[in-house]
Amino acid sequence: MNTYLMIEILFPRTKNIQEISKILEKYKNFGVNTNIRLAHFLAQVREEVGAELKPISENLNYTEEGLKKTFKVFRDNPQLAENYGKDEDTPKADPVKIANYAYANKLGNGNPDSDRDGDIDEDDDGYKYRGAGVLQITGNFNFEE
């Protein structure tokens, strides 16, 4: 099966199949070089972004309970979940704070309140490097790579 046909089957609502096929040709150098590997790669992409093959950024509009179930830092610190998650009184969560805590000190990100060199500022590493793109890449190191 060729790349174009796989994309057509997995992403029936995408409009740019030819462009995506050309991009995927470049990934053959990274081990996506057999039909089965391509199928696995595209299946993961489909799971992350849906039938349109439209890159997205991670939605962090969690409830307090959702935060505790999803991220260890909020399970271990329920007050953070109460502060930043949505509930009956707060219809929208604080996605910047959620990402900064959820992805703090991981994958090259700084702590929730500082940048990589430890100075307190508004870098918001967790939010800037939250899940994004067709594979939901997360973390400063992965974004740089």
Side-chain angles (χ1 to χ4, degrees):
M1 184 177 289
N2 70 28
T3 303
Y4 187 93
L5 186 56
M6 279 192 200
I7 295 168
E8 191 173 54
I9 292 167
L10 286 169
F11 305 98
R13 293 189 292 168
T14 193
K15 305 283 189 262
N16 54 349
I17 296 173
Q18 193 65 40
E19 178 185 345
I20 294 164
S21 293
K22 288 178 185 175
I23 292 168
L24 287 172
E25 289 298 316
K26 295 177 185 178
Y27 285 97
K28 287 186 178 182
N29 295 335
F30 296 99
V32 184
N33 53 11
T34 66
N35 279 341
I36 193 71
R37 288 179 176 178
L38 179 61
H40 285 181
F41 178 80
L42 290 175
Q44 180 64 42
V45 170
R46 168 65 190 244
E47 181 64 23
E48 297 289 357
V49 299
E52 265 188 86
L53 192 65
K54 181 180 176 184
I56 57 172
S57 291
E58 183 177 8
N59 177 348
L60 295 160
N61 193 28
Y62 285 93
T63 63
E64 293 175 19
E65 285 307 308
L67 286 171
K68 293 174 196 172
K69 289 178 184 175
T70 307
F71 300 105
K72 185 178 184 323
V73 67
F74 293 103
R75 231 180 349 270
D76 293 348
N77 302 284
Q79 186 62 48
L80 290 176
E82 291 174 25
N83 291 346
Y84 305 123
K86 67 181 179 178
D87 61 20
E88 294 169 359
D89 299 325
T90 310
K92 180 139 175 48
D94 185 336
V96 174
K97 288 293 189 185
I98 289 171
N100 287 346
Y101 279 96
Y103 300 122
N105 303 310
K106 298 176 186 169
L107 303 167
N109 292 347
N111 68 48
D113 299 314
S114 71
D115 65 6
R116 286 169 293 294
D117 63 10
D119 296 333
I120 302 298
D121 63 17
E122 296 296 319
D123 274 7
D124 297 323
D125 279 1
Y127 188 73
K128 281 195 311 194
Y129 305 115
R130 70 192 185 281
V134 296
L135 291 179
Q136 292 294 287
I137 301 297
T138 304
N140 182 27
F141 287 160
N142 291 327
F143 271 69
E144 283 184 23
E145 185 66 29

